Amino acid sequence: MLLSSGSALALEMHYNVILNIYDILPESRSQQRPQSSSASSSQPPAAISNIVSGLLAPLGFGTWECNRFFPPLIGAYHTSIDVRGFRYQFGANVGITRTASPQGGGETADSIRFVPPNGAYRESIVLGQTWNEQGEINAIVQRMRDNGFRGDTYHLVRRNCNHFSETFATALILGNELLEGNSVRALEKFPAWVNRLARIGSSLGTEDENPACDVMAEARVAAGVKGKVSWNFASSSSKSNNVARSQKKELTDKQKMALAKLKRAK
């Protein structure tokens, strides 16, 4: 069957899932950036800087120096996800937000509305592609809200913007690959150093009534595949072959018994 050009295009349509990374800078280095009331209420950047400063001050490093020169080691970052022309991010009080994403890169007044006022753009990385239409993406976001990504559950260590970005991107890109029974790894292109500070803080032990984010488990919920099992066709085929062999063996035994009776009758 021949497909029209429009139908073929629809079948092949996919969209890049882009991770945007911002350095969280000391306030003294970010004074020139215009502050948005939405941004200042959606993130507690001073607390992030204080954590990093406390850990690195004895070594002579601050947040700025560590972010710029030792990003794989430790640093404070804010992230967001771009897909299908929208930018999604997670923050305290406001929860998950969506703004327009600038085409062709760069920033606009709308795209930086929920970026911390002391956040400085570092880079953007294409993590992969998604075939989800906008309605499916909206459903993923809603399931994430229902499953713990609300403004009142934000936590610097246990559930922050980077947890959201990785969970959201995982649900978008892997989708049905997250079905239980499949062997799935975390996104290879998501930088481990982006949320390393939170993992270090979590390992030190913090008591909180809200559970820590489990990226893979929550991505399954977000993608709508939790509890759904992937069919192992190889295993199913093997079982069918075993049954067939068993039935064949049973028929052969009956034939042998019949032959034995015939011999005795003679």
Side-chain angles (χ1 to χ4, degrees), residues 19-22 43 77-81 88-90 116 160-166 190 194:
L19 174 71
N20 305 299
I21 305 174
Y22 291 80
Q43 302 284 347
Y77 306 95
H78 171 73
T79 59
S80 62
I81 293 292
Y88 300 83
Q89 50 202 317
F90 177 62
N160 59 37
C161 59
N162 303 318
H163 289 118
F164 165 77
S165 293
E166 186 174 7
F190 196 96
V194 163

Side-chain angles (χ1 to χ4, degrees), residues 107-122:
E107 292 183 332
T108 64
D110 191 46
S111 70
I112 64 172
R113 244 196 316 151
F114 296 99
V115 174
N118 61 339
Y121 175 77
R122 167 184 280 270

Side-chain angles (χ1 to χ4, degrees), residues 208-253:
D208 194 272
E209 60 181 8
N210 296 318
C213 177
D214 183 329
V215 170
M216 297 304 292
E218 295 190 27
R220 285 189 174 92
V221 174
V225 300
K226 181 182 179 181
K228 298 181 180 180
V229 180
S230 175
W231 285 98
N232 189 330
F233 292 104
S235 175
S236 178
S237 175
S238 176
K239 289 179 180 178
S240 298
N241 291 337
N242 289 337
V243 171
R245 283 195 295 268
S246 175
Q247 291 175 341
K248 185 176 181 180
K249 183 178 180 181
E250 183 180 355
L251 290 173
T252 301
D253 290 342

